Amino acid sequence: MRLLVMLLLAVSGSSSAASFDCNKASTFVEKAICSDRTLSALDDALSENYKDMLASNIGEGARKDLRATQRIWIADRNKCTTRSCVEALYRQRVDAVCDYPVISGIHPGCTYSDEIE
């Protein structure tokens, strides 16, 4: 019974991250995110921060820049071959996404990398 509970917790804890389905993880980076709580939490934070900033009034130019820099960041992240590389890039990007200024309205309540252990 104890083994069954442990297996269920392991499967449920690694079945999905905010930005992709862990059941379909195929790259080193995707597998690392799905198997590591810190990387998964960083992925969740980045996904939420990114969505919130896109939905904020940051202006069309900033919105285009945010999308373009996200594509570049993903390409760079996917070149990582170590866990430390993945974590470092996530921590930098989680914070960078929230640095976009909001033209009007309230700045979204971002999660910053130092809040994630």
Side-chain angles (χ1 to χ4, degrees):
M1 181 67 161
R2 182 181 231 182
L3 180 60
L4 178 61
V5 170
M6 289 173 53
L7 285 171
L8 289 173
L9 287 173
V11 171
S12 67
S14 64
S15 64
S16 67
S19 64
F20 61 92
D21 182 353
C22 282
N23 292 319
K24 297 178 182 177
S26 61
T27 67
F28 166 79
V29 171
E30 291 171 344
K31 291 175 183 178
I33 293 165
C34 293
S35 65
D36 185 291
R37 287 183 190 206
T38 300
L39 295 180
S40 182
L42 287 165
D43 185 71
D44 289 344
L46 178 56
S47 179
E48 286 302 311
N49 289 354
Y50 181 76
K51 289 176 196 172
D52 289 347
M53 289 307 293
L54 282 177
S56 298
N57 185 8
I58 59 174
E60 196 52 41
R63 190 169 285 104
K64 286 179 183 177
D65 183 72
L66 181 59
R67 286 184 179 119
T69 57
Q70 186 74 0
R71 284 190 295 273
I72 293 166
W73 178 84
I74 289 169
D76 288 343
R77 180 205 66 180
N78 288 344
K79 293 176 187 172
C80 285
T81 58
T82 65
R83 183 204 173 281
S84 61
C85 174
V86 177
E87 182 174 354
L89 286 179
Y90 262 100
R91 288 193 181 279
Q92 181 265 339
R93 185 63 181 167
V94 163
D95 296 339
V97 165
C98 291
D99 288 342
Y100 282 81
V102 173
I103 295 172
S104 66
I106 298 173
H107 195 283
C110 287
T111 299
Y112 289 90
S113 66
D114 62 357
E115 298 174 46
I116 300 168
E117 293 184 20

